[in-house]
Amino acid sequence: ALPFTPALASPGNLVNLLSSLLPLLVAAVGATFVLIAGGIDLSAASVISLASVAGALVMTGEGGALAGSPLAMPAGVAAMLAAGAAVGALNGAAVAFLGLQPFIVTLTTMMFFGGMAVWLTRSATVYMLPDSFAVLGGSLPAALAIAGGLTAAAALVLGRTAAGRRLHAIGLNRRTAAVSGVPVRAVTAGAYIAGGLFAAVASVLYTSRLETGDPVLGKYLLLDVIGAAVIGGNSLFGGKGKVTWTIGGVLFIALLDNVLTLLDLSPFSILMAKGLVILAAALLDAARNRILAGD
């Protein structure tokens, strides 16, 4: 793409690309947990929006609960993580213990909590966040340490621990996993909680980078989060996935978005292009599963 977009390799663009890539990476890694367990989480985008306003309303200098307090930043981050964990726990309980379909559950929570984020702020953006909070996502070294540390930890859990093996077993065959002694419901619920927490951390990075609490922050991110995980090779049918695959998918989505933006295409054209790429990845995933199943 360099002959057509020479600005792609410029230092400023590379820094901007990496800064925008890191929050997406965290959210996509969270989605990987759910995909490996054979589920899907459509609520990640609304978690990003809800967590953004939840933390901002605690920290803002415009009447926030802890405005001006040294505890504002840690309390705001804690509120954001709590919001993500709560939505993840709700999704996990509905899917694992009530036996509801993941698509319907997470579609419902996406709509409900996305609407709640708008209702809490009356559609207004929240400004005047603490400088100490802005450092988390506004400073590239800090954002890289947070995203890199979480990604490495996720890779370790999924690839080297019993929890990771259990997730893969559940995604491959829930009944076989249950007969083998795997606590299917608890592990499945844990995957959704992890997905919610990772989406909340992504919100921390996005919100601190923008220095505003935005009730529609996640509006256009769902396609990127799920798409990055699937394009990387994680199966929509469960049981197959790696964090390294997700990293590849995130790099592809981020580069595609960046190149198309540098080519001065409209946002709608970029959405269409990414949609086609994700559809192609899903078709390849389906074909791979049919071949492996011997159909």
Side-chain angles (χ1 to χ4, degrees), residues 29-206:
V29 168
T32 303
F33 280 83
V34 179
L35 286 172
I36 289 175
I40 191 166
D41 187 359
L42 303 178
S43 68
S46 63
V47 168
I48 290 171
S49 297
L50 179 64
S52 181
V53 299
L57 289 173
V58 170
M59 295 182 285
T60 179
E62 297 179 326
L66 292 174
S69 168
L71 296 176
M73 190 275 280
V77 172
M80 298 173 81
L81 296 179
V87 177
L90 179 60
N91 288 333
V95 172
F97 295 100
L98 298 181
L100 300 180
Q101 288 295 320
F103 181 87
I104 296 300
V105 170
T106 58
L107 176 64
T108 302
T109 52
M110 176 187 74
M111 296 170 66
F112 181 84
F113 290 108
M116 178 180 285
V118 175
W119 176 77
L120 285 171
T121 61
R122 302 298 188 270
S123 300
T125 302
V126 183
Y127 298 99
M128 294 183 64
L129 303 187
D131 292 338
S132 57
F133 176 72
V135 171
L136 296 178
S139 166
L140 185 57
L144 188 59
I146 293 170
L150 283 175
T151 301
L156 181 64
V157 169
L158 291 175
R160 298 298 183 96
T161 67
R165 290 190 290 273
R166 287 173 172 178
L167 274 177
H168 282 87
I170 291 170
L172 286 171
N173 193 311
R174 294 176 66 86
R175 290 185 178 181
T176 302
V179 170
S180 301
V182 174
V184 173
R185 291 180 176 179
V187 175
T188 300
Y192 283 93
I193 294 172
L197 279 170
F198 274 71
V201 174
S203 182
V204 170
L205 296 178
Y206 277 123

Side-chain angles (χ1 to χ4, degrees), residues 25 79 118 121 184 187 199 221 224 269 273 284:
L25 173 61
V118 175
T121 61
V184 173
V187 175
L221 294 175
D224 289 355
S269 299
L284 287 172

Side-chain angles (χ1 to χ4, degrees), residues 237-275:
F237 299 90
K240 300 181 184 68
K242 293 182 180 179
V243 169
T244 51
W245 296 355
T246 301
I247 294 172
V250 169
L251 286 171
F252 183 87
I253 282 285
L255 282 171
L256 178 65
D257 204 344
N258 191 244
V259 168
L260 295 179
T261 300
L262 291 174
L263 289 173
D264 202 26
L265 295 183
S266 70
F268 305 105
S269 299
I270 294 173
L271 279 173
M272 290 167 61
K274 288 195 289 188

Side-chain angles (χ1 to χ4, degrees), residues 193-222:
I193 294 172
L197 279 170
F198 274 71
V201 174
S203 182
V204 170
L205 296 178
Y206 277 123
T207 304
S208 57
R209 183 183 175 212
L210 298 172
E211 299 185 40
T212 56
D214 189 347
V216 292
L217 179 59
K219 186 176 181 181
Y220 297 110
L221 294 175
L222 177 60

